[in-house]
Amino acid sequence: ENAASALAAIAAPSTRLSMLAFSERFAMFGAKQRIAIYFLGAAHTAGDIVVLLPDQKVLFTGDLVLVKRAPYMQSPDVNPKGWESALNNLSRIDVDKVVPGHGTLGNRQAIGETLGYVKKVNELAQLMIGENVSETLIDARLHRPDTGVEAGAVTPELIANIRAVMRADKAKPGAAPAPKPTKAPAGKKS
């Protein structure tokens, strides 16, 4: 919603592209504008991209980065670790302005804040999985002091995001279980 009008203003009215495909990055150089598009892989969705205007130091992030609101980590194709990795990569880009897919505009600090949130949700989900915490007990477990979460920060959104990350992690295809050891046949000892 935020990116459409801004990107439309950049494109020349005579420019017509019927389809544009790229694998990792795509750059457009015009007389007045440079645009870089990066495919970041699976993160918020199965295929996230961002658009960078390097001369203006503006980054269009879609739903990867939000300003002053919790990210929605409950998409069916969310990749929580991929999201964390994508945000780590974005944090290295020199930008002054961030244009999220929803909500208010922000600055580069929004990338770090979103990264901190996603990382904490991933850590808490791993803690819950490691302790075999039932989804119905996430709220109670979050209120223990060893989680590092203040009582006021435990929101329905946080609980739903942790639950979604737990489900995504459990749904990942795991390695095949190791075969059970078999008893060695009885034989002569040498």
Side-chain angles (χ1 to χ4, degrees):
E1 92 198 17
N2 285 331
S5 61
L7 288 175
I10 293 169
S14 62
T15 303
R16 294 259 187 233
L17 295 175
S18 58
M19 183 170 76
L20 172 66
F22 65 98
S23 59
E24 292 178 21
R25 60 185 152 260
F26 178 80
M28 294 186 286
F29 302 94
K32 297 181 181 181
Q33 185 67 52
R34 293 186 308 149
I35 300 172
I37 304 171
Y38 298 97
F39 172 70
L40 300 174
H44 172 68
T45 65
D48 288 284
I49 64 168
V50 296
V51 177
L52 173 66
L53 306 179
D55 298 328
Q56 290 79 13
K57 296 186 177 186
V58 176
L59 181 66
F60 296 85
T61 62
D63 293 339
L64 286 172
V65 177
L66 294 172
V67 180
K68 306 276 187 234
R69 60 195 289 190
Y72 183 78
M73 300 179 74
Q74 301 156 51
S75 300
D77 54 351
V78 69
N79 181 328
K81 286 295 182 188
W83 198 338
E84 193 174 322
S85 175
L87 290 169
N88 270 319
N89 290 334
L90 290 179
S91 70
R92 292 192 289 271
I93 296 175
D94 183 24
V95 297
D96 293 332
K97 295 177 188 164
V98 172
V99 182
H102 307 278
T104 60
L105 304 180
N107 56 30
R108 72 174 294 105
Q109 185 178 348
I111 299 169
E113 289 170 355
T114 304
L115 173 59
Y117 181 90
V118 168
K119 189 173 182 177
K120 186 67 175 179
V121 168
N122 287 343
E123 289 169 359
L124 290 169
Q126 291 308 307
L127 174 75
M128 303 293 166
I129 291 168
E131 293 181 1
N132 204 24
V133 174
S134 160
E135 288 185 8
T136 59
L137 296 176
I138 293 171
D139 185 22
R141 178 61 182 90
L142 287 174
H143 282 90
R144 287 185 23 197
D146 63 332
T147 61
V149 178
E150 294 181 23
V154 178
T155 64
E157 280 178 319
L158 176 64
I159 294 166
N161 282 336
I162 292 170
R163 183 181 302 116
V165 171
M166 289 171 66
R167 289 177 181 168
D169 192 68
K170 290 176 183 177
K172 276 194 262 179
K180 291 183 180 178
T182 58
K183 224 179 200 181
K188 294 182 201 175
K189 291 185 180 179
S190 4

